[in-house]
């Protein structure tokens, strides 16, 4: 297979899509879309989010040192896109899109009820990079819709109808997996004979 060479570029695709809610000290909430977000650590559970300093949410999160990552279902794709292209400095996106806000457990930033999963986060550090700054945060509480949890307590993210972002386009995440962690080295089960 022949590859074409490009100069260094942020070409890691696909990435998760998230709606981040934050609140300032006066109690005004905002929401914006991020695609540059990822897991950084298991214990303690940490994530990274790349945010441009000119974003209103940048100011809010820097001020209060907290936010909520809401994982939207694919049915919210138009709202997700709107929150990524419109600024909270110009329009109240939460009211414009009729999002229902719910109280969080551990932070003051609200949760978007319409999103099946929400991660409450506390900011640990801001690392200046260039066009974006890297926000390192600890996940201190997670909310998951009951319908996504089976009787054994397993969370079925595939039933949440989540989406991802890839080079300017949104895609649904398929419900059927092509493997699970460790399957490549898993020993085959042997059939036991009945006597």
């Amino acid at each position: 297979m022949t590859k074409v060479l490009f100069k260094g570029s942020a070409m890691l695709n696909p990435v998760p899509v998230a709606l981040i809610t934050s609140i300032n000290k006066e109690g005004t909430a905002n929401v914006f879309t991020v695609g540059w977000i990822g897991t950084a650590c298991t214990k303690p559970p940490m994530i990274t989010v790349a945010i441009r300093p000119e974003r209103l949410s940048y100011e809010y999160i820097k001020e209060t040192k907290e936010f909520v990552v809401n994982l939207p279902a694919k049915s919210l794709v138009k709202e997700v896109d709107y929150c990524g292209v419109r600024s909270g400095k110009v329009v109240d996106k939460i009211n414009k899109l009729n999002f229902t806000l719910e109280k969080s457990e551990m932070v003051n930033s609200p949760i978007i009820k319409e999103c099946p999963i929400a991660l409450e986060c506390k900011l640990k550090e801001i690392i200046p990079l260039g066009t974006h700054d890297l926000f390192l945060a600890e996940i201190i509480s997670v909310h998951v819709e009951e319908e996504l949890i089976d009787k054994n307590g397993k969370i079925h993210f595939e039933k949440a109808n989540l989406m991802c972002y890839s080079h300017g386009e949104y895609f649904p995440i398929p419900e059927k997996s092509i493997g699970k962690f460790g399957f490549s080295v898993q020993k085959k089960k042997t059939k036991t004979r009945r006597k």
Side-chain angles (χ1 to χ4, degrees), residues 138-155:
E138 182 176 352
I139 302 166
I140 57 171
S141 184
V142 178
H143 304 254
V144 179
E145 279 187 4
E146 263 186 309
E147 309 85 72
L148 302 177
I149 306 168
D150 68 21
K151 62 183 179 185
N152 298 317
K154 179 182 177 184
I155 300 170

Side-chain angles (χ1 to χ4, degrees), residues 30-31 55-56 60 86-93:
N30 187 47
V31 60
R55 288 283 202 171
L56 181 62
Y60 286 12
R86 292 290 181 248
S87 172
K89 295 176 181 177
V90 178
V91 62
D92 181 346
K93 295 178 271 188

Side-chain angles (χ1 to χ4, degrees), residues 2-146:
T2 304
K3 291 182 174 64
V4 177
L5 184 65
F6 290 83
K7 66 175 184 172
S9 175
M11 213 181 278
L12 179 65
N13 287 286
V15 291
V17 173
L19 290 170
I20 292 190
T21 45
S22 59
I23 195 166
N24 67 10
K25 288 186 178 175
E26 285 75 46
T28 304
N30 187 47
V31 60
F32 82 116
T33 303
V34 296
W36 293 0
I37 184 169
T39 303
C41 187
T42 305
K43 290 183 183 179
M46 307 275 280
I47 60 167
T48 59
V49 185
I51 307 174
R52 287 183 287 145
E54 59 268 23
R55 288 283 202 171
L56 181 62
S57 293
Y58 184 106
E59 295 172 24
Y60 286 12
I61 297 168
K62 187 175 181 180
E63 182 181 289
T64 62
K65 302 196 177 347
E66 63 175 47
F67 58 94
V68 175
V69 175
N70 301 274
L71 300 181
K74 65 183 180 184
S75 59
L76 294 174
V77 67
K78 194 169 184 179
E79 291 85 347
V80 164
D81 186 65
Y82 186 88
C83 288
V85 297
R86 292 290 181 248
S87 172
K89 295 176 181 177
V90 178
V91 62
D92 181 346
K93 295 178 271 188
I94 292 167
N95 285 326
K96 170 93 176 162
L97 299 172
N98 296 313
F99 282 139
T100 308
L101 297 184
E102 294 183 321
K103 189 170 174 18
S104 296
E105 291 293 319
M106 309 287 285
V107 299
N108 291 317
S109 297
I111 291 169
I112 298 174
K113 184 178 183 178
E114 290 80 7
C115 294
I117 299 159
L119 295 75
E120 296 183 36
C121 301
K122 282 279 192 185
L123 181 65
K124 292 295 181 187
E125 188 177 354
I126 301 174
I127 303 165
L129 299 176
T131 58
H132 293 67
D133 287 353
L134 192 69
F135 282 56
L136 179 64
E138 182 176 352
I139 302 166
I140 57 171
S141 184
V142 178
H143 304 254
V144 179
E145 279 187 4
E146 263 186 309

